[in-house]
Amino acid sequence: MAAGKSKPIDTQLLSRLLDEHGRALTLFARQYCDSPEDVVQYAFLKLVRSRQGHGNMVPWLYRVARNRAISIARSSTRRQRRELRVARREQPWFEPDYAEELDARAAADALKALPEPQREIIIAHIWGGLTFEQIGQVVGCSSSTAHRHYNEGLSSLRERLRSPCTEHTTTEN
Amino acid sequence: MHGTHDDGELKGLERSLAGLRPAPAGIDRDELMFKAGQAAATGRAGLAPNAAVLAVLVAAFAGAGTTWLARPAAPERIVQVTVEKPVLRVVELSPMMPAGERPERSVARADYLELRDRVLAEGMDALPPLGPAGGAAPGGTLDDLWRDFGIPPRHSAGKAWAPSTGRSAQS
């Protein structure tokens, strides 16, 4: 994980953070709002404005992105939320044909169908690389609660991915 | 056993999910770097006006404090006031002056006022020495006192005036 220690933010560090965590951060923000790129850019710029590196920069970026995305989603109107649901279906969450074992579209649909606490913890742990303690700091719960949500979410995903046709139809509706 | 099987399945699912790669971020790197530079410059420039305002305030307070401490003390003024002594008017009294023509201030009162002023100015030493009788009025008989009050001396017995204490009245 990049930048574990506190260090000043320079161009190289920012570029490295963007390379290593830009995709996962965008995926994490995409589950809340329809403008995840703006959210991630906001988080990086806030890190630069703070003018010094945080001890745990990556969890800090996730927390800032989560708060920003939820704030944007709450401020949007009902019509915008409906458009967001449509946009979520259209925007791919994962690169197609990258994994051999799982269908990217089916996995994304199964993820979208999960309750938010389970979904955000699974994304933060699997693709963000955060520990359950760091996830607890990001979402505001204990590490044991985060771990429990994670296991419940994985179990639900397993069930949904066993019957992809039924689940796909349910998600589309 | 069932739990272990479940755990194994979940681990396999976890690995499969980790094999998925999130879609590209879609963030314009050049734009982000440009805005990051702007943000960093704004942060540094934001400090400069604050420092300038702080310096001006410190200078203003220092100047005000110096002016306050270095201000001249109020000059001490000595005012001399001349008080005129009251002019004493001595009026000669005739023995039988009618009541309407009597002056309000008699000679005895004028003497008293003059004596009082002298005592106030010079202290107790200004008092005249007492007469040989110890309790007698200075310099006069009872007839003189009667005359001072415009009463003819025929009413008195010509004795020296003495304060009317109970003992002297009996004697």
Side-chain angles (χ1 to χ4, degrees), chain B:
Chain B
M1 194 71 180
H2 184 70
T4 308
H5 177 70
D6 275 358
D7 287 348
E9 275 195 15
L10 291 182
K11 288 291 180 188
L13 178 61
E14 194 176 13
R15 278 194 301 272
S16 300
L17 288 171
L20 293 172
R21 191 178 189 199
I27 297 173
D28 189 341
R29 180 182 296 268
D30 294 337
E31 182 187 354
L32 176 62
M33 292 302 168
F34 176 72
K35 287 186 176 179
Q38 270 188 328
T42 305
R44 281 193 295 271
L47 292 177
N50 293 340
V53 169
L54 186 64
V56 168
L57 286 177
V58 167
F61 277 114
T66 306
T67 307
W68 175 262
L69 291 176
R71 75 190 194 285
E76 188 173 332
R77 293 190 306 166
I78 299 174
V79 179
Q80 290 185 345
V81 179
T82 304
V83 180
E84 293 182 0
K85 286 184 72 175
V87 179
L88 298 180
R89 191 163 52 99
V90 179
V91 180
E92 293 293 335
L93 295 177
S94 62
M96 291 299 290
M97 183 179 289
E101 298 178 2
R102 285 178 195 164
E104 293 180 359
R105 182 178 293 175
S106 65
V107 176
R109 181 159 177 77
D111 290 342
Y112 163 73
L113 291 174
E114 187 179 5
L115 180 61
R116 186 198 66 181
D117 290 341
R118 284 173 56 196
V119 167
L120 289 175
E122 302 172 12
M124 295 297 288
D125 293 338
L127 287 172
L130 293 174
T141 62
L142 193 56
D143 291 343
D144 297 334
L145 187 62
W146 291 129
R147 271 194 290 275
D148 283 345
F149 285 98
I151 301 172
R154 55 189 167 86
H155 295 287
S156 68
K159 297 178 182 176
W161 180 82
S164 59
T165 61
R167 191 172 54 186
S168 62
Q170 286 175 358
S171 63

Side-chain angles (χ1 to χ4, degrees), chain A residues 14-15 18-19 23 26 37 40-41 45 48-49 92-95 98-99 101-102 107 126-127 150 154 157-158 162, chain B residues 6 9-10 13-14 16-27 29 31-33 35-36 39-40 43 47:
Chain A
L14 191 63
S15 182
L18 186 60
D19 287 339
R23 286 187 180 224
T26 307
E37 292 85 4
V40 174
Q41 183 168 289
L45 290 179
V48 172
R49 284 195 194 96
W93 281 27
F94 301 103
E95 281 189 352
Y98 188 81
E101 302 174 17
L102 271 179
I126 292 181
W127 292 282
Y150 178 77
L154 276 187
L157 275 181
R158 184 186 58 190
R162 273 178 184 168
Chain B
D6 275 358
E9 275 195 15
L10 291 182
L13 178 61
E14 194 176 13
S16 300
L17 288 171
L20 293 172
R21 191 178 189 199
I27 297 173
R29 180 182 296 268
E31 182 187 354
L32 176 62
M33 292 302 168
K35 287 186 176 179
L47 292 177

Side-chain angles (χ1 to χ4, degrees), chain A residues 55-104:
Chain A
N56 292 315
M57 264 186 278
V58 178
W60 185 88
L61 283 171
Y62 272 84
R63 189 167 69 244
V64 172
R66 180 178 186 267
N67 293 338
R68 178 70 172 177
I70 290 176
S71 174
I72 289 174
R74 283 180 181 165
S75 63
S76 61
T77 62
R78 183 179 298 177
R79 179 184 164 195
Q80 287 171 329
R81 280 195 286 269
R82 190 169 59 247
E83 291 172 355
L84 167 63
R85 283 195 294 271
V86 175
R88 271 183 186 168
R89 287 194 206 113
E90 292 175 354
Q91 290 178 349
W93 281 27
F94 301 103
E95 281 189 352
D97 303 329
Y98 188 81
E100 298 174 355
E101 302 174 17
L102 271 179
D103 177 43

